[in-house]
């Protein structure tokens, strides 16, 4: 679990660096698919990760829209604000937490029960999926995307 | 680990069904990003998953190119051929296998050592990333993509 979160955070950091060389209008440009833009995707990833981590702790959710975060600097700042709490949750994570329950309500009033283990994997997959969308948009603007490889990132590799 | 593989296989199956309603020329059309096309992506996902699973078992790799698999039927057939071996490997997977070693050689001759745990997560992330690319191309041809949600797939959810 921890390796996949660390992978996502490394890749996300690589995308922030990638964004530094891209004009802001390209980062904000409306695009087809996903949430419709590069920076908006990064904001959405942070938002969703934090919201689920907050939910599992029974703390209030993040409710703001992308409108207030339309620059790389603001998105990075938000990430830096949220990361310590997410990091602490992950640090404390152990197999015994897998079956803890989060109750949620669907718009139609149906009660839904998720396990924390399921939510953690959902958060992981959510980020990787959206990063895949960024990789297409990167090519559309003629730039090589960040590598999505999990190997060769030093997450548990040794070179001899 | 198993949940994320099962998630990927469910999503992949959903994409096969999604492809049934899409003309073959759209499935084969050259697109920007990734490996450059919808069906080619599904072939690539199967290829990479199987190749790593074979590698961890020290068995020969899959060496064929997409040229021989340019229809939904052929890709599905290949998947069905490979799935039992991948499934058996996953079924036998346990935490004690995390640190097993796969040795590989880089093109420059450097020896690289990967742990099996790292490779398993790489395979998981690889598929999710490429499926993210499919979701953009789906919108480009005006179709709603398959849901990437890991929750609400019955992977460990209970509804009351």
């Amino acid at each position: 679990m921890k390796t996949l979160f660390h992978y996502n955070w490394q890749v996300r950091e690589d995308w922030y660096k990638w964004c530094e060389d891209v004009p802001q209008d390209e980062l904000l440009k409306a695009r087809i698919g996903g949430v419709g833009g590069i920076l908006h995707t990064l904001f959405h990833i942070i938002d969703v990760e934090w919201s689920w981590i907050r939910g599992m702790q029974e703390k209030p959710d993040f409710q703001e829209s992308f409108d207030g975060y339309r620059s790389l600097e603001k998105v990075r700042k938000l990430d830096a604000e949220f990361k310590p709490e997410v990091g602490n949750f992950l640090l404390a994570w152990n197999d015994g937490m897998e079956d803890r329950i989060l109750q949620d309500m669907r718009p139609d009033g149906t009660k839904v029960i998720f396990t924390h283990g399921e939510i953690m994997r959902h958060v992981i997959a959510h980020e990787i999926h959206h990063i895949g969308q960024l990789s297409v948009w990167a090519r559309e603007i003629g730039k090589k995307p960040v590598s999505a490889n999990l190997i060769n990132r030093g997450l548990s590799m040794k070179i001899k």
Side-chain angles (χ1 to χ4, degrees), chain A residues 76-125:
Chain A
R76 272 180 148 159
K77 193 163 169 281
L78 187 71
D79 195 340
E81 279 171 32
F82 287 173
K83 193 63 70 52
E85 187 167 334
V86 180
N88 285 337
F89 188 86
L90 189 69
L91 203 64
W93 180 264
N94 62 64
D95 290 348
M97 294 160 80
E98 281 278 347
D99 296 326
R100 285 191 187 171
I101 294 297
L102 181 149
Q103 269 203 27
D104 207 357
M105 195 81 83
R106 285 186 175 151
D108 67 1
T110 324
K111 212 196 282 176
V112 195
I113 290 177
F114 304 114
T115 66
H116 285 204
E118 185 181 20
I119 290 168
M120 292 293 272
R121 288 172 188 84
H122 175 73
V123 170
I124 288 164

Short mmCIF file of all heavy atoms in Angstrom, two decimals, chain A residues 76-125:
data_model
loop_
_atom_site.label_atom_id
_atom_site.label_comp_id
_atom_site.label_asym_id
_atom_site.label_seq_id
_atom_site.Cartn_x
_atom_site.Cartn_y
_atom_site.Cartn_z
N ARG A 76 0.42 23.43 -6.06
CA ARG A 76 1.52 22.88 -5.25
C ARG A 76 1.37 23.24 -3.78
O ARG A 76 1.68 22.43 -2.90
CB ARG A 76 2.85 23.45 -5.76
CG ARG A 76 3.47 22.64 -6.88
CD ARG A 76 4.78 23.27 -7.31
NE ARG A 76 5.74 22.28 -7.75
CZ ARG A 76 6.77 22.56 -8.54
NH1 ARG A 76 6.99 23.80 -8.95
NH2 ARG A 76 7.61 21.61 -8.92
N LYS A 77 0.93 24.45 -3.53
CA LYS A 77 0.75 24.92 -2.14
C LYS A 77 -0.32 24.09 -1.45
O LYS A 77 -0.17 23.68 -0.29
CB LYS A 77 0.39 26.42 -2.16
CG LYS A 77 0.47 27.11 -0.83
CD LYS A 77 0.51 28.63 -1.00
CE LYS A 77 0.31 29.33 0.32
NZ LYS A 77 -1.10 29.39 0.75
N LEU A 78 -1.40 23.84 -2.16
CA LEU A 78 -2.49 23.02 -1.60
C LEU A 78 -1.98 21.62 -1.29
O LEU A 78 -2.26 21.06 -0.22
CB LEU A 78 -3.66 22.95 -2.60
CG LEU A 78 -4.92 22.27 -2.08
CD1 LEU A 78 -5.63 23.13 -1.04
CD2 LEU A 78 -5.88 21.94 -3.24
N ASP A 79 -1.24 21.06 -2.21
CA ASP A 79 -0.66 19.73 -2.03
C ASP A 79 0.21 19.71 -0.76
O ASP A 79 0.09 18.80 0.08
CB ASP A 79 0.18 19.38 -3.27
CG ASP A 79 0.53 17.90 -3.34
OD1 ASP A 79 0.48 17.24 -2.30
OD2 ASP A 79 0.87 17.42 -4.44
N ALA A 80 1.05 20.73 -0.63
CA ALA A 80 1.95 20.81 0.54
C ALA A 80 1.16 20.94 1.85
O ALA A 80 1.60 20.46 2.90
CB ALA A 80 2.92 21.97 0.37
N GLU A 81 0.01 21.59 1.78
CA GLU A 81 -0.84 21.72 2.98
C GLU A 81 -1.46 20.39 3.39
O GLU A 81 -1.56 20.07 4.56
CB GLU A 81 -1.98 22.72 2.72
CG GLU A 81 -1.58 24.17 2.87
CD GLU A 81 -2.67 25.12 2.38
OE1 GLU A 81 -3.88 24.78 2.49
OE2 GLU A 81 -2.33 26.19 1.87
N PHE A 82 -1.89 19.64 2.38
CA PHE A 82 -2.61 18.39 2.66
C PHE A 82 -1.67 17.22 2.96
O PHE A 82 -2.02 16.30 3.71
CB PHE A 82 -3.48 18.00 1.46
CG PHE A 82 -4.70 18.86 1.28
CD1 PHE A 82 -5.51 18.72 0.14
CD2 PHE A 82 -5.07 19.81 2.23
CE1 PHE A 82 -6.63 19.50 -0.04
CE2 PHE A 82 -6.21 20.60 2.06
CZ PHE A 82 -6.99 20.44 0.92
N LYS A 83 -0.49 17.24 2.34
CA LYS A 83 0.40 16.07 2.37
C LYS A 83 0.74 15.58 3.79
O LYS A 83 0.72 14.36 4.02
CB LYS A 83 1.67 16.40 1.56
CG LYS A 83 2.58 15.21 1.22
CD LYS A 83 1.95 14.15 0.34
CE LYS A 83 1.69 14.48 -1.10
NZ LYS A 83 2.74 15.02 -1.92
N PRO A 84 1.03 16.47 4.74
CA PRO A 84 1.40 15.94 6.07
C PRO A 84 0.32 15.06 6.69
O PRO A 84 0.62 14.01 7.25
CB PRO A 84 1.62 17.22 6.91
CG PRO A 84 1.95 18.28 5.91
CD PRO A 84 1.18 17.94 4.67
N GLU A 85 -0.94 15.48 6.55
CA GLU A 85 -2.02 14.68 7.15
C GLU A 85 -2.16 13.33 6.43
O GLU A 85 -2.35 12.29 7.06
CB GLU A 85 -3.34 15.46 7.11
CG GLU A 85 -4.44 14.73 7.86
CD GLU A 85 -5.67 15.60 8.11
OE1 GLU A 85 -5.54 16.84 8.17
OE2 GLU A 85 -6.78 15.03 8.24
N VAL A 86 -2.07 13.37 5.10
CA VAL A 86 -2.14 12.13 4.32
C VAL A 86 -0.95 11.24 4.68
O VAL A 86 -1.10 10.04 4.89
CB VAL A 86 -2.15 12.44 2.79
CG1 VAL A 86 -2.23 11.14 2.00
CG2 VAL A 86 -3.30 13.36 2.43
N GLY A 87 0.22 11.86 4.79
CA GLY A 87 1.44 11.13 5.13
C GLY A 87 1.35 10.46 6.49
O GLY A 87 1.76 9.30 6.65
N ASN A 88 0.78 11.17 7.46
CA ASN A 88 0.63 10.59 8.81
C ASN A 88 -0.35 9.42 8.81
O ASN A 88 -0.13 8.42 9.48
CB ASN A 88 0.15 11.66 9.80
CG ASN A 88 1.27 12.60 10.18
OD1 ASN A 88 2.45 12.25 10.07
ND2 ASN A 88 0.92 13.80 10.62
N PHE A 89 -1.41 9.58 8.04
CA PHE A 89 -2.39 8.49 7.94
C PHE A 89 -1.73 7.25 7.34
O PHE A 89 -1.91 6.14 7.83
CB PHE A 89 -3.59 8.93 7.08
CG PHE A 89 -4.72 7.94 7.10
CD1 PHE A 89 -5.69 7.96 8.10
CD2 PHE A 89 -4.83 6.97 6.11
CE1 PHE A 89 -6.73 7.04 8.12
CE2 PHE A 89 -5.87 6.03 6.12
CZ PHE A 89 -6.82 6.07 7.13
N LEU A 90 -0.96 7.48 6.30
CA LEU A 90 -0.29 6.36 5.61
C LEU A 90 0.76 5.70 6.52
O LEU A 90 0.90 4.48 6.54
CB LEU A 90 0.37 6.87 4.32
CG LEU A 90 0.92 5.78 3.41
CD1 LEU A 90 -0.19 4.96 2.79
CD2 LEU A 90 1.80 6.38 2.31
N LEU A 91 1.47 6.55 7.27
CA LEU A 91 2.51 6.05 8.18
C LEU A 91 1.90 5.13 9.24
O LEU A 91 2.49 4.13 9.63
CB LEU A 91 3.20 7.25 8.85
CG LEU A 91 4.61 7.05 9.39
CD1 LEU A 91 5.58 6.73 8.26
CD2 LEU A 91 5.08 8.32 10.13
N ALA A 92 0.70 5.48 9.65
CA ALA A 92 0.03 4.70 10.70
C ALA A 92 -0.70 3.49 10.12
O ALA A 92 -1.22 2.65 10.87
CB ALA A 92 -0.96 5.59 11.44
N TRP A 93 -0.77 3.41 8.78
CA TRP A 93 -1.54 2.34 8.14
C TRP A 93 -0.95 0.97 8.45
O TRP A 93 0.26 0.78 8.42
CB TRP A 93 -1.57 2.54 6.63
CG TRP A 93 -2.35 1.45 5.94
CD1 TRP A 93 -1.86 0.32 5.37
CD2 TRP A 93 -3.77 1.37 5.83
NE1 TRP A 93 -2.88 -0.45 4.89
CE2 TRP A 93 -4.07 0.16 5.16
CE3 TRP A 93 -4.83 2.20 6.21
CZ2 TRP A 93 -5.38 -0.24 4.87
CZ3 TRP A 93 -6.13 1.81 5.92
CH2 TRP A 93 -6.40 0.60 5.26
N ASN A 94 -1.82 0.02 8.78
CA ASN A 94 -1.38 -1.38 8.92
C ASN A 94 -2.53 -2.30 8.52
O ASN A 94 -3.67 -1.84 8.38
CB ASN A 94 -0.90 -1.65 10.35
CG ASN A 94 -2.01 -1.45 11.37
OD1 ASN A 94 -3.01 -2.16 11.35
ND2 ASN A 94 -1.87 -0.44 12.22
N ASP A 95 -2.22 -3.57 8.33
CA ASP A 95 -3.20 -4.52 7.81
C ASP A 95 -4.47 -4.60 8.66
O ASP A 95 -5.54 -4.92 8.16
CB ASP A 95 -2.58 -5.92 7.66
CG ASP A 95 -1.56 -5.96 6.52
OD1 ASP A 95 -1.52 -5.00 5.73
OD2 ASP A 95 -0.81 -6.96 6.44
N GLY A 96 -4.31 -4.31 9.94
CA GLY A 96 -5.46 -4.36 10.84
C GLY A 96 -6.51 -3.31 10.53
O GLY A 96 -7.64 -3.37 11.02
N MET A 97 -6.15 -2.31 9.70
CA MET A 97 -7.09 -1.24 9.36
C MET A 97 -7.89 -1.56 8.09
O MET A 97 -8.82 -0.82 7.73
CB MET A 97 -6.32 0.07 9.18
CG MET A 97 -5.69 0.58 10.49
SD MET A 97 -4.33 1.75 10.19
CE MET A 97 -5.26 3.25 9.86
N GLU A 98 -7.52 -2.63 7.42
CA GLU A 98 -8.14 -3.01 6.14
C GLU A 98 -9.67 -3.02 6.21
O GLU A 98 -10.32 -2.54 5.30
CB GLU A 98 -7.65 -4.41 5.72
CG GLU A 98 -6.28 -4.46 5.10
CD GLU A 98 -6.29 -4.11 3.61
OE1 GLU A 98 -7.37 -4.06 3.00
OE2 GLU A 98 -5.20 -3.85 3.07
N ASP A 99 -10.20 -3.63 7.27
CA ASP A 99 -11.64 -3.87 7.32
C ASP A 99 -12.44 -2.83 8.08
O ASP A 99 -13.63 -2.99 8.32
CB ASP A 99 -11.91 -5.28 7.91
CG ASP A 99 -11.33 -6.36 7.00
OD1 ASP A 99 -11.35 -6.16 5.77
OD2 ASP A 99 -10.87 -7.39 7.53
N ARG A 100 -11.78 -1.76 8.47
CA ARG A 100 -12.53 -0.67 9.09
C ARG A 100 -13.55 -0.14 8.08
O ARG A 100 -13.34 -0.22 6.87
CB ARG A 100 -11.58 0.47 9.49
CG ARG A 100 -10.77 0.13 10.72
CD ARG A 100 -10.04 1.36 11.24
NE ARG A 100 -9.13 1.01 12.31
CZ ARG A 100 -8.23 1.85 12.83
NH1 ARG A 100 -8.14 3.08 12.37
NH2 ARG A 100 -7.45 1.44 13.80
N ILE A 101 -14.61 0.44 8.60
CA ILE A 101 -15.75 0.78 7.75
C ILE A 101 -15.92 2.30 7.59
O ILE A 101 -15.78 3.05 8.56
CB ILE A 101 -17.05 0.19 8.37
CG1 ILE A 101 -16.98 -1.34 8.33
CG2 ILE A 101 -18.29 0.71 7.67
CD1 ILE A 101 -16.94 -1.95 6.94
N LEU A 102 -16.20 2.74 6.38
CA LEU A 102 -16.66 4.11 6.15
C LEU A 102 -18.07 4.01 5.57
O LEU A 102 -18.27 3.34 4.56
CB LEU A 102 -15.72 4.85 5.20
CG LEU A 102 -16.07 6.31 4.89
CD1 LEU A 102 -14.79 7.11 4.61
CD2 LEU A 102 -17.00 6.49 3.70
N GLN A 103 -19.01 4.66 6.23
CA GLN A 103 -20.38 4.68 5.73
C GLN A 103 -20.59 5.91 4.89
O GLN A 103 -20.18 7.00 5.26
CB GLN A 103 -21.37 4.73 6.90
CG GLN A 103 -21.79 3.37 7.37
CD GLN A 103 -23.12 3.41 8.11
OE1 GLN A 103 -23.95 4.27 7.88
NE2 GLN A 103 -23.31 2.46 9.00
N ASP A 104 -21.23 5.75 3.77
CA ASP A 104 -21.51 6.89 2.91
C ASP A 104 -22.96 6.79 2.45
O ASP A 104 -23.60 5.75 2.58
CB ASP A 104 -20.54 6.89 1.72
CG ASP A 104 -20.30 8.29 1.16
OD1 ASP A 104 -20.92 9.24 1.66
OD2 ASP A 104 -19.50 8.42 0.23
N MET A 105 -23.46 7.89 1.92
CA MET A 105 -24.84 7.92 1.44
C MET A 105 -24.82 8.27 -0.05
O MET A 105 -24.20 9.25 -0.46
CB MET A 105 -25.62 8.99 2.21
CG MET A 105 -27.11 8.89 2.09
SD MET A 105 -27.82 7.63 3.19
CE MET A 105 -27.94 8.58 4.73
N ARG A 106 -25.50 7.47 -0.86
CA ARG A 106 -25.63 7.81 -2.27
C ARG A 106 -26.67 8.92 -2.45
O ARG A 106 -27.50 9.12 -1.56
CB ARG A 106 -26.09 6.57 -3.05
CG ARG A 106 -24.98 5.57 -3.24
CD ARG A 106 -25.45 4.44 -4.14
NE ARG A 106 -24.37 3.53 -4.45
CZ ARG A 106 -24.54 2.23 -4.71
NH1 ARG A 106 -25.74 1.71 -4.73
NH2 ARG A 106 -23.51 1.48 -4.99
N PRO A 107 -26.63 9.61 -3.62
CA PRO A 107 -27.62 10.67 -3.84
C PRO A 107 -29.07 10.17 -3.69
O PRO A 107 -29.95 10.92 -3.28
CB PRO A 107 -27.35 11.09 -5.30
CG PRO A 107 -25.93 10.73 -5.55
CD PRO A 107 -25.67 9.49 -4.73
N ASP A 108 -29.30 8.88 -3.99
CA ASP A 108 -30.67 8.35 -3.87
C ASP A 108 -31.01 7.91 -2.44
O ASP A 108 -32.09 7.35 -2.21
CB ASP A 108 -30.88 7.19 -4.85
CG ASP A 108 -30.02 5.97 -4.49
OD1 ASP A 108 -29.28 6.02 -3.48
OD2 ASP A 108 -30.08 4.97 -5.22
N GLY A 109 -30.12 8.15 -1.50
CA GLY A 109 -30.40 7.82 -0.10
C GLY A 109 -29.94 6.44 0.32
O GLY A 109 -30.02 6.10 1.51
N THR A 110 -29.48 5.61 -0.64
CA THR A 110 -28.97 4.28 -0.28
C THR A 110 -27.72 4.43 0.58
O THR A 110 -26.85 5.24 0.28
CB THR A 110 -28.56 3.49 -1.55
OG1 THR A 110 -29.43 3.79 -2.61
CG2 THR A 110 -28.53 1.99 -1.27
N LYS A 111 -27.66 3.60 1.61
CA LYS A 111 -26.46 3.61 2.45
C LYS A 111 -25.41 2.70 1.80
O LYS A 111 -25.73 1.60 1.35
CB LYS A 111 -26.81 3.07 3.84
CG LYS A 111 -25.99 3.70 4.95
CD LYS A 111 -26.07 2.90 6.22
CE LYS A 111 -27.34 3.08 7.02
NZ LYS A 111 -27.38 2.18 8.20
N VAL A 112 -24.17 3.17 1.74
CA VAL A 112 -23.09 2.36 1.17
C VAL A 112 -21.99 2.22 2.22
O VAL A 112 -21.69 3.17 2.94
CB VAL A 112 -22.47 3.02 -0.08
CG1 VAL A 112 -21.64 2.01 -0.85
CG2 VAL A 112 -23.53 3.60 -0.97
N ILE A 113 -21.44 1.04 2.28
CA ILE A 113 -20.37 0.80 3.23
C ILE A 113 -19.10 0.41 2.47
O ILE A 113 -19.12 -0.50 1.64
CB ILE A 113 -20.77 -0.33 4.21
CG1 ILE A 113 -21.86 0.19 5.15
CG2 ILE A 113 -19.57 -0.81 5.02
CD1 ILE A 113 -22.38 -0.84 6.12
N PHE A 114 -18.05 1.16 2.71
CA PHE A 114 -16.75 0.84 2.10
C PHE A 114 -15.78 0.42 3.20
O PHE A 114 -15.82 0.97 4.31
CB PHE A 114 -16.15 2.06 1.40
CG PHE A 114 -17.04 2.66 0.36
CD1 PHE A 114 -17.57 3.93 0.53
CD2 PHE A 114 -17.33 1.97 -0.81
CE1 PHE A 114 -18.38 4.50 -0.45
CE2 PHE A 114 -18.15 2.54 -1.78
CZ PHE A 114 -18.68 3.80 -1.60
N THR A 115 -14.88 -0.51 2.88
CA THR A 115 -13.80 -0.79 3.83
C THR A 115 -12.67 0.20 3.57
O THR A 115 -12.50 0.68 2.44
CB THR A 115 -13.25 -2.23 3.68
OG1 THR A 115 -12.62 -2.34 2.41
CG2 THR A 115 -14.36 -3.27 3.80
N HIS A 116 -11.89 0.47 4.59
CA HIS A 116 -10.75 1.38 4.41
C HIS A 116 -9.75 0.81 3.40
O HIS A 116 -9.14 1.57 2.65
CB HIS A 116 -10.08 1.66 5.77
CG HIS A 116 -10.87 2.60 6.64
ND1 HIS A 116 -10.32 3.35 7.63
CD2 HIS A 116 -12.19 2.92 6.64
CE1 HIS A 116 -11.25 4.08 8.23
NE2 HIS A 116 -12.40 3.83 7.65
N GLY A 117 -9.60 -0.51 3.40
CA GLY A 117 -8.67 -1.13 2.45
C GLY A 117 -9.09 -0.86 1.02
O GLY A 117 -8.26 -0.58 0.15
N GLU A 118 -10.39 -0.94 0.79
CA GLU A 118 -10.95 -0.68 -0.55
C GLU A 118 -10.73 0.79 -0.93
O GLU A 118 -10.35 1.10 -2.06
CB GLU A 118 -12.44 -1.01 -0.47
CG GLU A 118 -13.20 -0.93 -1.75
CD GLU A 118 -14.69 -1.25 -1.51
OE1 GLU A 118 -15.16 -1.17 -0.35
OE2 GLU A 118 -15.36 -1.57 -2.49
N ILE A 119 -10.95 1.66 0.01
CA ILE A 119 -10.79 3.10 -0.26
C ILE A 119 -9.33 3.43 -0.58
O ILE A 119 -9.05 4.18 -1.51
CB ILE A 119 -11.29 3.93 0.95
CG1 ILE A 119 -12.81 3.83 1.04
CG2 ILE A 119 -10.85 5.39 0.83
CD1 ILE A 119 -13.38 4.37 2.34
N MET A 120 -8.41 2.87 0.19
CA MET A 120 -6.99 3.15 -0.06
C MET A 120 -6.61 2.75 -1.49
O MET A 120 -5.91 3.49 -2.18
CB MET A 120 -6.11 2.40 0.95
CG MET A 120 -6.24 2.90 2.38
SD MET A 120 -5.59 4.57 2.63
CE MET A 120 -3.86 4.20 2.99
N ARG A 121 -7.08 1.59 -1.91
CA ARG A 121 -6.77 1.13 -3.28
C ARG A 121 -7.48 2.00 -4.32
O ARG A 121 -6.96 2.23 -5.42
CB ARG A 121 -7.14 -0.34 -3.44
CG ARG A 121 -6.19 -1.26 -2.69
CD ARG A 121 -6.64 -2.70 -2.66
NE ARG A 121 -5.78 -3.49 -1.78
CZ ARG A 121 -5.92 -3.58 -0.46
NH1 ARG A 121 -6.92 -2.96 0.14
NH2 ARG A 121 -5.07 -4.30 0.26
N HIS A 122 -8.67 2.45 -3.98
CA HIS A 122 -9.41 3.35 -4.88
C HIS A 122 -8.63 4.65 -5.09
O HIS A 122 -8.51 5.14 -6.22
CB HIS A 122 -10.79 3.64 -4.29
CG HIS A 122 -11.59 4.63 -5.07
ND1 HIS A 122 -12.17 4.34 -6.28
CD2 HIS A 122 -11.89 5.94 -4.84
CE1 HIS A 122 -12.80 5.42 -6.75
NE2 HIS A 122 -12.63 6.39 -5.89
N VAL A 123 -8.10 5.18 -4.01
CA VAL A 123 -7.33 6.44 -4.08
C VAL A 123 -6.08 6.23 -4.95
O VAL A 123 -5.73 7.07 -5.79
CB VAL A 123 -6.95 6.92 -2.66
CG1 VAL A 123 -5.95 8.07 -2.71
CG2 VAL A 123 -8.20 7.34 -1.89
N ILE A 124 -5.42 5.10 -4.77
CA ILE A 124 -4.22 4.79 -5.56
C ILE A 124 -4.58 4.71 -7.05
O ILE A 124 -3.96 5.37 -7.89
CB ILE A 124 -3.61 3.43 -5.10
CG1 ILE A 124 -2.95 3.57 -3.74
CG2 ILE A 124 -2.61 2.90 -6.14
CD1 ILE A 124 -2.68 2.24 -3.03
N ALA A 125 -5.59 3.91 -7.37
CA ALA A 125 -5.98 3.72 -8.77
C ALA A 125 -6.47 5.02 -9.39
O ALA A 125 -6.21 5.31 -10.55
CB ALA A 125 -7.05 2.64 -8.87
#
